[in-house]
Amino acid sequence: MVRMSQTLVLGGNGFIGEPLVKALREAGTNVTAPTQAELDIETEPQKIVEILENHDTLVILTQPSEKGIINVVSALALSKVQHVLYASTVLVYGSSKEPQSENAPLAPASEYGRKKYGEEVALRHSLVPLTIVRLGNVYGGPKNRGIVQKAIEALYKNQLLQTSGEDQVRDFVHVDDVVVAIIALLKLPPNRSRVVNIMTGTGTSIGNMFKML
């Protein structure tokens, strides 16, 4: 097990990033989590280099940005970062009625999935030890605006919620479980390339999720 000394979290103010940063700090990790106003990875490449100077771990939770990820990869080449953890998505596997393992064929059908996979490839070119976490349908927390949160709010307010695709199956995983998994992975010795799915392994249809709520 290695000690996490100084960690930079890009996207640390999002619905996954905020509880992750809080949990890391509570565990004694020194964390830097700049807001987009403090660091824009698309327009401030030199600033990325400067911030990375004093960090040995980088966590990327940002939305896909081709220009942004190019700037990050370029900055990594000039840094002493020893481990990058990148939050991707299970959408890189495409649609399937069966649970997807890390060895499943990659066939992203959505634009979001294709962009995330593109960033995975770009980060592999950085030659820095990389952990890719492919997330299921993450829910939970006040900042999340996904279908689960919308359904909960509609129930509390006694409002109708219009949706389609009630037969579509998702692997819903709570943000707290995602945070625990990411911290566990950050504690592992860096690996040249590690891919881990973070999900429950159990599919739930949108319609059944409504019924449970």
Side-chain angles (χ1 to χ4, degrees):
M1 183 178 291
V2 294
R3 183 176 67 87
M4 293 175 284
S5 56
Q6 190 69 33
T7 300
L8 173 63
V9 180
L10 300 178
N13 296 283
F15 91 95
I16 296 175
E18 194 171 83
L20 175 63
V21 169
K22 182 175 182 288
L24 285 170
R25 286 174 175 162
E26 288 175 348
T29 304
N30 296 317
V31 181
T32 305
T35 64
Q36 188 172 5
E38 295 168 332
L39 174 63
D40 188 333
I41 63 173
E42 289 190 348
T43 62
E44 299 178 296
Q46 184 55 38
K47 199 168 182 179
I48 304 173
V49 174
E50 293 169 1
I51 291 178
L52 278 178
E53 277 185 3
N54 300 316
H55 296 83
D56 54 25
T57 303
L58 172 62
V59 178
I60 305 173
L61 301 171
T62 51
Q63 291 297 308
S65 164
E66 182 177 359
K67 190 173 182 180
I69 208 68
I70 289 173
N71 289 338
V72 169
V73 170
S74 298
L76 283 170
L78 303 173
S79 76
K80 296 180 181 179
V81 170
Q82 300 171 16
H83 187 194
V84 175
L85 185 143
Y86 175 72
S88 186
T89 172
V90 296
L91 294 177
V92 299
Y93 299 119
S95 299
S96 173
K97 294 182 179 180
E98 301 298 327
Q100 299 282 32
S101 75
E102 288 84 351
N103 296 320
L106 301 180
S110 66
E111 185 67 16
Y112 181 78
R114 286 190 289 270
K115 287 181 177 179
K116 277 293 189 180
Y117 178 63
E119 294 198 345
E120 289 185 16
V121 173
L123 285 165
R124 284 195 174 98
H125 290 159
S126 74
L127 302 181
V128 178
L130 174 66
T131 297
I132 296 170
V133 292
R134 292 174 178 157
L135 306 178
N137 197 306
V138 186
Y139 73 97
K143 286 192 173 182
N144 178 238
R145 303 309 306 161
I147 186 63
V148 175
Q149 185 67 20
K150 289 179 179 178
I152 291 171
E153 290 179 2
L155 286 168
Y156 270 112
K157 295 176 183 179
N158 197 28
Q159 295 176 342
L160 292 176
L161 178 65
Q162 291 186 341
T163 185
S164 60
E166 290 189 14
D167 293 331
Q168 293 181 17
V169 175
R170 298 286 182 268
D171 190 314
F172 294 104
V173 56
H174 197 275
V175 65
D176 289 349
D177 295 322
V178 171
V179 167
V180 169
I182 288 176
I183 291 177
L185 289 166
L186 288 173
K187 291 180 179 179
L188 293 177
N191 191 313
R192 176 65 195 93
S193 183
R194 177 185 287 125
V195 178
V196 179
N197 291 341
I198 299 181
M199 58 184 90
T200 67
T202 300
T204 304
S205 70
I206 301 293
N208 282 340
M209 181 268 291
F210 286 149
K211 292 175 183 177
M212 285 188 284
L213 289 175

